[in-house]
């Protein structure tokens, strides 16, 4: 199931914005600022890191000693804001000094950073810097275009610790840092620009030990501590060098995390301070001294500041400005800060969220407009839109001036395999955007729709807990509330399929396809269900036009191959799977499908070859073990078959076909006691609608005829 919605396992206490109290106290202590050409630059971003999760920003229980020391010896900006609340656009802002309005990257999927647009990497490389990036999330994969200007762009994910590295959307911070530190060490005395991105605090929160034990009820805080500890090899030498160091460190986050505030669990939907406010620290003690700056600053200011400190001009015509005067104690008026959160609009058809922060005031432009006084109400709980109409109008005007010259929202279709990997990170990615509406009403306002998000999370939780009927009932409520939201139909299709209602699944998936006809993922899903419902001809016809595209998606080719195979068009099926293999040679599921075509045709030797090759890529593929068990059984080697099926059942305890194979062959061999638990698991896992005859048979074996299923 597209895992768009996650649950936050343990209740995480909402973090207080205690540090806010201080920001009115006036300008920072002035520091003498010097510039230094040829200084090395280390840009560190920690994904999903709330400012107030750090000790340096007032959280007493945080274990963030390395970052805290960096803040202590450097310049800490108390009020720094991002402009986006998802990873790719936010990093584009940081590296380019431009708003999303300027570079045009508005979401994690469907956008590419434009060629020819200068970034810190391209500008510093042109000045003779050696440049490298080490990123930890698929959201920053080089395919999205931020790799330009980097001599090395290391986006390899999934190291030795991950079981299925081919789909792993993130890499551990310790591994990313190790790669970065090795690269830096190899550059000798040459000036370097090194960008390091860690993904730890991003959902799901699974901190490694000892952090899991230290934060048993706050896994998010545990992840933050893990990220801090991971930075030690990079930060320790720089901190120890102190004023003798030759490296500027810039540490920030791409966005924060809601942790339940305003009804949002993670990030991407709203742009409240929980996700928009970020930490920002500059460390170069010999040049900047140490200070705390209370004046609001922005992500777009980072690139011009770095260049200024190196004695270089800013990129042409950027909205960002150098922060050096501010650090030196000048008090220029705070610059207005544009922000947006467009993911739900692009992917779910909700109203687009945009806004502006001007001094203490924050305006959120939505069908139900919002206005907050951040100084008096840092938690954004009192909407002043109705009480202060004059300010509302002024900020509305400011926002529309900021949007002058905005790049068209030119989003292209995204490949389904890219979408799938972004989904694994928890994003509501889709391969085709929902068309924009002429006019959005209050019913499209994310504030009115956030309960859908919570309910979808609950649907997933119920499904995972085995309450299929409860999950279905709740998902139906989402469809009733928002009948034009494609993802609810995809969930419906998945749940109905799990119940064994293939016709219902076909109907729901068909609805999703009709809402977004160009979406390859929905079409592939519908085709798979059509084939399983005994309607492979319709599946093959449905996919015909998609398959003619120059680079159809892997899922789409797979679905088509299954349909062709079911129609007995074996050679065409094999040709289709061969195309899928070309598209992604490292994908073992394609090999499993090729093996299945051979198996169905009785070509056991060729089938075995494919399954074994799949297992060489990923030894934990339950499907391949199950099929090798089937081959062994057909060839009369029942002990080998039993071993294979036991392995498959260990790897995927819910695969009812494996459970049936294993239980029935054990029983046939007279090993009834051993067979019983597998057969009981089979009864729990098998959808009665599809498995009626076998279910009745197994019940009779177990001596429980006529008993109703749970
Ligand atoms: Zn992010």
């Amino acid at each position: 199931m597209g895992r768009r919605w996650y649950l936050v396992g343990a209740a995480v206490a909402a973090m207080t914005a205690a540090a806010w109290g201080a920001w009115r106290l006036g300008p920072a202590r002035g520091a003498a600022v010097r510039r230094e050409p040829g200084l090395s630059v280390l840009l560190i971003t920690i994904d999903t890191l709330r400012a107030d999760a750090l000790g340096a920003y007032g959280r007493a229980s945080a274990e963030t000693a390395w970052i805290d020391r960096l803040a202590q010896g450097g310049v800490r900006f108390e009020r720094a804001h991002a402009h986006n609340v998802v990873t790719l656009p936010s990093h584009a802002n940081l590296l380019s000094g431009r708003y999303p309005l300027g570079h045009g990257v508005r979401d994690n999927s469907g956008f590419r950073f434009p060629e020819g647009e200068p970034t810190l990497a391209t500008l510093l490389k042109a000045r003779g810097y050696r440049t490298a990036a080490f990123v930890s999330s698929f959201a920053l994969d080089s395919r999205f275009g931020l790799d330009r200007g980097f001599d090395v762009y290391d986006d390899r994910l999934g190291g030795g610790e991950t079981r299925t590295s081919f789909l792993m959307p993130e890499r551990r911070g310790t591994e990313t840092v190790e790669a970065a530190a090795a690269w830096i060490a190899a550059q000798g005395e040459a000036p370097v620009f090194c960008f390091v991105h860690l993904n730890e605090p991003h959902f799901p929160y699974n901190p490694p030990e000892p952090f899991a034990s230290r934060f048993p009820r706050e896994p998010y805080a545990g992840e933050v501590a893990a990220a801090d500890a991971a930075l030690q090899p990079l930060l320790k030498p720089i901190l120890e060098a102190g004023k003798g160091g030759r490296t500027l460190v810039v540490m920030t986050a791409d966005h924060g995390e809601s942790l339940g505030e305003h009804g949002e669990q993670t990030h991407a939907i709203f742009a409240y301070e929980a996700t928009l406010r970020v930490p920002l620290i500059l460390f170069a003690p010999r040049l900047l001294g140490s200070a705390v700056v209370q004046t609001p600053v922005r992500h777009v200011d980072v690139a011009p500041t770095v260049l200024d400190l190196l004695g270089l001009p800013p990129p042409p015509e950027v909205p960002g400005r150098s922060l050096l005067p501010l650090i030196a104690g000048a008090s220029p008026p705070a610059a207005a800060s544009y922000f947006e959160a467009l993911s739900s609009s692009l992917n779910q058809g909700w109203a687009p969220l945009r806004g502006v922060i001007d001094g203490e005031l924050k305006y959120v432009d939505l069908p139900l407009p919002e206005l907050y006084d951040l100084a008096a109400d840092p938690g954004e709980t009192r909407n002043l839109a109705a009480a202060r109409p004059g300010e509302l109008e002024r900020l509305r005007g400011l926002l529309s001036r900021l949007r002058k010259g905005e790049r068209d929202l030119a989003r292209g279709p995204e490949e389904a395999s890219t979408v799938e990997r972004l989904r694994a990170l928890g994003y509501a990615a889709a391969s085709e955007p929902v068309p924009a509406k002429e006019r959005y009403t209050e019913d499209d306002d994310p504030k009115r729709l956030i309960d859908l998000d919570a309910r979808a999370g609950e649907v997933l939780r119920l499904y995972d807990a085995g309450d299929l009927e409860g999950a279905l009932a709740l998902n139906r409520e989402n469809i009733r509330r928002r009948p034009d939201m494609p993802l609810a139909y995809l969930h419906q299709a998945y749940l109905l399929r799990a119940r064994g209602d293939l016709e219902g699944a076909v109907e729901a998936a068909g609805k999703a396809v009709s809402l977004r006809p160009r979406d390859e993922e929905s079409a592939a899903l519908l085709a798979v269900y059509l084939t399983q419902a005994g309607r492979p001809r319709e599946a093959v016809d449905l996919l015909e036009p998609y398959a003619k595209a120059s680079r159809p998606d892997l899922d789409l080719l797979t679905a088509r191959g299954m349909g062709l195979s079911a129609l007995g068009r074996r050679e065409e099926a094999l040709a289709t799977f061969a195309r899928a293999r070309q598209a992604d040679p490292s994908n073992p599921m394609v090999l499993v499908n090729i093996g299945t075509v051979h198996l169905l045709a009785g070509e056991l030797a060729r089938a075995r070859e494919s399954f074994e090759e799949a297992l060489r890529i990923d030894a934990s593929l339950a499907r391949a073990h199950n099929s090798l068990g089937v081959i062994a059984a057909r060839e009369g080697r029942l002990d080998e078959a039993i071993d294979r099926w036991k392995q498959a059942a260990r790897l995927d305890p819910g695969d009812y076909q494996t459970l049936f194979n294993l239980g029935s062959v054990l029983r046939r061999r007279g090993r009834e006691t051993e067979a019983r638990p597998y057969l009981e698991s089979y009864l729990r896992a098998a959808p009665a609608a599809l498995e009626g005859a076998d279910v009745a048979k197994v019940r009779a074996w177990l001596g429980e005829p006529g008993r109703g299923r749970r």
Side-chain angles (χ1 to χ4, degrees), residues 188-464:
E189 294 300 301
V192 303
F193 170 53
C194 184
F195 160 42
V196 177
H197 162 264
L198 304 190
N199 206 51
E200 259 70 14
H202 198 286
F203 196 86
Y205 317 127
N206 301 313
E209 291 298 354
F211 307 103
S213 303
R214 289 236 272 276
F215 295 92
R217 271 182 296 281
E218 288 180 296
Y220 174 77
E223 293 271 35
V224 171
D228 181 82
L231 288 172
Q232 177 181 341
L234 288 174
L235 293 186
K236 193 165 183 257
I238 291 172
L239 286 163
E240 281 172 359
K243 290 192 172 172
R246 302 251 320 129
T247 303
L248 161 71
V249 183
V250 180
M251 200 293 300
T252 187
D254 55 350
H255 51 77
E257 186 81 322
S258 281
L259 301 174
E261 287 183 37
H262 301 273
E264 182 180 43
Q265 290 304 324
T266 60
H267 58 271
I269 295 175
F270 290 136
Y272 294 112
E273 295 295 277
T275 55
L276 204 62
R277 182 182 173 227
V278 289
L280 177 63
I281 297 165
L282 302 185
F283 181 89
R286 181 159 40 84
L287 307 177
L288 300 175
S290 69
V292 177
V293 175
Q294 305 289 347
T295 307
V297 299
R298 310 165 296 175
H299 262 172
V300 290
D301 299 327
V302 169
T305 305
V306 169
L307 294 168
D308 192 10
L309 196 64
L310 307 180
L312 300 172
E317 292 167 49
V318 292
R321 62 184 191 182
S322 171
L323 301 175
L324 295 191
L326 206 60
I327 297 169
S331 21
S337 189
Y338 169 82
F339 63 87
E340 64 181 30
L342 299 182
S343 300
S344 306
S345 177
L346 291 164
N347 298 302
Q348 312 294 351
W350 299 7
L353 187 159
R354 300 180 172 93
V356 62
I357 297 172
D358 187 35
E360 305 170 2
L361 289 180
K362 178 170 176 180
Y363 167 61
V364 186
D365 184 43
L366 277 173
L368 298 161
E370 295 164 71
L371 181 71
Y372 299 103
D373 180 340
L374 294 178
D377 177 26
E380 295 159 290
T381 57
R382 292 189 298 279
N383 184 0
L384 305 173
R388 292 165 75 171
E391 294 284 25
L392 191 73
E393 271 321 298
R394 184 179 69 78
L395 288 172
R396 216 172 239 162
L398 178 57
L399 177 61
S400 70
R401 285 197 297 283
L402 282 168
R403 288 186 61 196
K404 263 208 188 101
E406 171 175 357
R407 255 181 204 254
D408 282 347
L409 243 173
R411 179 171 152 158
E414 189 59 89
E415 288 176 37
S417 57
T418 302
V419 167
E420 190 184 323
R421 294 169 78 174
L422 290 167
R423 285 249 181 95
L425 286 168
Y427 291 109
S431 55
E432 186 202 345
V434 179
K437 288 188 186 177
E438 291 265 317
R439 194 176 152 268
Y440 291 91
T441 70
E442 296 180 359
D443 288 336
D444 302 312
D445 193 302
K447 291 190 287 301
R448 291 256 171 104
L449 297 169
I450 190 71
D451 65 300
L452 286 164
D453 194 62
R455 206 176 295 125
E458 182 64 8
V459 167
L460 196 69
R461 194 191 65 76
L462 288 171
Y463 171 75
D464 282 344

Side-chain angles (χ1 to χ4, degrees), residues 46-49 85-88 90-91 108 137 139-140 197-199 202 253-256 267 427:
I46 301 183
D47 214 288
T48 321
L49 175 62
V85 288
V86 290
T87 309
L88 179 66
S90 204
H91 281 90
N108 281 338
S137 161
L140 295 179
H197 162 264
L198 304 190
N199 206 51
H202 198 286
D254 55 350
H255 51 77
H267 58 271
Y427 291 109

